[in-house]
């Protein structure tokens, strides 16, 4: 699915040197690379503040704590996403209000917001799933109308650019009150362990995020709020500083792979290629097709036998997961999310994919349907 080894080989001397420097300095916690990486990422994304933390799940949790979401309040979240988005809502004693997604872009369905909004709702978490932005213009206007905070889950879409109708451009994660991201190794900007960050343009909120991520202290041993311990390792920051320099090139490679898949399955009767949202660029964290005609599992097994790995992101929508049925949703409540879970298949996509590798994948998929 991803080839982190070849990518590492391409930047090995730079990375090894950076790691060696951290080892020699022994500044493993909050070393200078952490601050430098945060500044470089702020410069790259255009966010006023970047606050590093331990992982993308913590980033979501700290964001909700800093926005003072109180237990019992409700947060709107798509039913088709990675579990982390919903997990932190539940952990903080909040209630997830699930909404459906769009069948072509996989993003939160803007029309569904009006159906679930109620006085208890305090926030919306759009997830920029698979690498392109949700309809942020609509979501931000809706949030303003109902006085809701927007937290953008940007774990899969770092570097994607959204264009507003007035022509203004913003990067994923920099439009809502807080944006969150993950540096898990397989993410588009991945380190060699766990890592995450939060983005905000609000200086006061940035300070609050920083304090919560550091045990609720501004000054060591003086705790003004209840916090958590969530840090980005210096080693990971040093690696990320190098990988950030290559991020645009990586996104371009992913787009080339996606374009070739698009072409290959243009008129294929059984493979529906992912639609690109009109107002967002795509960084293709995943290239996810929909397999029509209930053949997904057979296709997946067939590809596995022929040496082509694929993944199902995600097999079960969150409202039907055992841990989250307690919120009272049932089968049929979010038909698009439920149907996608039966059809989606993510194909291998990575930054070092060779054309002949991809040709083999495409030909093997086509041969399955010719059987
Ligand atoms: C990966 C991911 C996260 C969580 O990131 P971690 O660093 O693994 O905690 C959250 N949301 C989405 C959509 C993700 O893909």
């Amino acid at each position: 699915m991803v080839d982190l080894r070849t990518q590492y080989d391409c930047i090995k001397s730079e990375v090894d040197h950076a790691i060696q420097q951290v080892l020699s300095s022994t500044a493993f916690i909050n070393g200078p690379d952490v601050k430098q990486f945060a500044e470089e990422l702020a410069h790259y994304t255009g966010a006023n503040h970047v606050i590093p933390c331990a992982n993308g799940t913590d980033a979501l949790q700290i964001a909700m704590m800093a926005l003072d979401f109180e237990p019992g309040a409700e947060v709107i979240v798509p039913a088709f996403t990675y579990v982390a988005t919903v997990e932190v809502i539940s952990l903080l004693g909040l209630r997830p209000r699930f909404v459906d997604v769009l069948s072509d872009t996989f993003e939160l369905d803007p029309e569904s917001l009006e159906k679930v909004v109620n006085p208890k709702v305090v926030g919306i978490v759009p997830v920029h799933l698979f690498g392109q932005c949700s309809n942020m213009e609509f979501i931000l206007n809706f949030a303003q109308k109902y006085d809701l905070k927007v937290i953008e889950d940007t774990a899969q879409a770092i570097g994607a650019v959204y264009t507003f109708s007035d022509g203004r451009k913003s990067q994923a994660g920099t439009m809502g009150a807080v944006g969150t991201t993950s540096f898990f190794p397989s993410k588009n900007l991945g380190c060699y362990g766990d890592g995450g960050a939060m983005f905000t343009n609000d200086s006061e909120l940035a300070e609050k995020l920083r304090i919560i991520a550091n045990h609720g202290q501004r000054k060591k041993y003086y705790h003004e709020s209840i916090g958590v311990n969530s840090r980005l390792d210096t080693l990971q920051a040093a690696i990320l500083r190098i990988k950030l320099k290559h991020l645009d090139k990586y996104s371009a490679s992913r787009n080339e792979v996606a374009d070739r898949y698009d072409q290959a399955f243009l008129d294929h009767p059984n493979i529906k290629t992912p639609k690109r949202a009109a107002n967002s660029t795509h960084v293709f964290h995943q290239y996810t097709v929909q397999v029509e005609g209930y053949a997904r599992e057979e296709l997946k097994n067939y590809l596995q036998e022929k040496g082509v790995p694929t993944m199902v992101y995600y097999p079960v929508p969150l409202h039907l997961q055992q841990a989250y049925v307690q919120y009272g949703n049932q089968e049929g409540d979010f038909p698009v999310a439920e149907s996608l879970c039966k059809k989606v298949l993510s194909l291998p996509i990575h930054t070092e994919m060779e054309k002949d590798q991809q040709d083999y994948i495409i030909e093997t998929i086509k041969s399955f349907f010719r059987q």
Side-chain angles (χ1 to χ4, degrees), residues 266-285:
L266 191 59
D267 295 314
H268 199 283
N270 306 93
I271 298 287
K272 185 174 163 193
T273 56
K275 187 179 166 194
R276 285 129 185 268
N279 41 6
S280 174
T281 63
H282 208 319
V283 293
F284 284 102
H285 174 61

Side-chain angles (χ1 to χ4, degrees), residues 82-324:
Y82 181 58
V83 67
T85 326
V86 176
E87 196 170 51
V88 297
I89 295 173
S90 296
L91 274 174
L92 292 172
L94 301 154
R95 184 194 204 282
R97 265 289 162 199
F98 293 109
V99 289
D100 214 343
V101 294
L102 299 169
S103 62
D104 50 7
T105 60
F106 312 111
E107 307 302 332
L108 182 156
D109 177 3
E111 303 297 321
S112 63
L113 294 175
E114 202 73 57
K115 286 184 238 162
V116 294
V117 72
N118 72 71
K120 284 187 173 171
V121 174
V122 291
I124 310 177
V125 188
V127 181
H128 302 316
L129 204 70
F130 300 151
Q132 61 184 346
C133 295
S134 308
N135 185 339
M136 287 307 289
E137 184 145 1
F138 188 101
I139 293 167
L140 291 171
N141 285 334
F142 183 89
Q144 195 171 26
K145 180 170 160 196
Y146 290 99
D147 195 21
L148 312 177
K149 302 289 188 208
V150 175
I151 299 173
E152 300 172 68
D153 185 340
T154 315
Q156 302 189 2
I158 195 148
V161 177
Y162 184 82
T163 306
F164 288 89
S165 53
D166 63 4
R168 244 178 337 119
K169 288 183 192 293
S170 298
Q171 271 209 25
T174 68
M175 296 171 269
V178 185
T180 65
T181 200
S182 163
F183 306 123
F184 185 82
S186 63
K187 299 281 155 98
N188 287 34
L189 180 60
C191 58
Y192 297 160
D194 276 307
M198 297 162 283
F199 308 115
T200 186
N201 294 322
D202 178 333
S203 305
E204 231 171 276
L205 193 53
E207 191 60 11
K208 227 166 150 184
L209 292 164
R210 222 169 253 129
I211 289 169
I212 293 171
N214 183 26
H215 294 296
Q217 63 191 352
R218 197 185 308 253
K219 193 172 152 202
K220 209 164 170 66
Y221 307 124
Y222 293 83
H223 306 278
E224 56 192 82
S225 61
I226 296 174
V228 296
N229 175 26
S230 191
R231 295 183 284 242
L232 179 68
D233 290 346
T234 311
L235 275 169
Q236 303 303 344
I239 293 160
L240 287 164
R241 289 186 70 197
I242 291 159
K243 291 188 72 175
L244 179 59
K245 287 190 274 178
H246 298 275
L247 184 58
D248 283 340
K249 195 181 66 195
Y250 291 158
S251 298
S253 309
R254 287 172 177 277
N255 268 279
E256 278 172 34
V257 175
D259 286 344
R260 291 203 292 261
Y261 278 138
D262 277 355
Q263 277 302 316
F265 299 114
L266 191 59
D267 295 314
H268 199 283
N270 306 93
I271 298 287
K272 185 174 163 193
T273 56
K275 187 179 166 194
R276 285 129 185 268
N279 41 6
S280 174
T281 63
H282 208 319
V283 293
F284 284 102
H285 174 61
Q286 297 298 340
Y287 186 89
T288 302
V289 300
Q290 294 176 55
V291 185
E292 302 292 349
Y294 303 96
R296 183 188 64 193
E297 292 310 309
E298 289 97 310
L299 172 61
K300 190 175 190 321
N301 294 338
Y302 176 85
L303 292 172
Q304 188 71 46
E305 279 167 29
K306 308 271 178 192
V308 176
T310 56
M311 291 292 281
V312 173
Y313 300 117
Y314 298 95
V316 181
L318 285 160
H319 67 289
L320 300 180
Q321 292 279 359
Q322 195 183 337
Y324 301 103

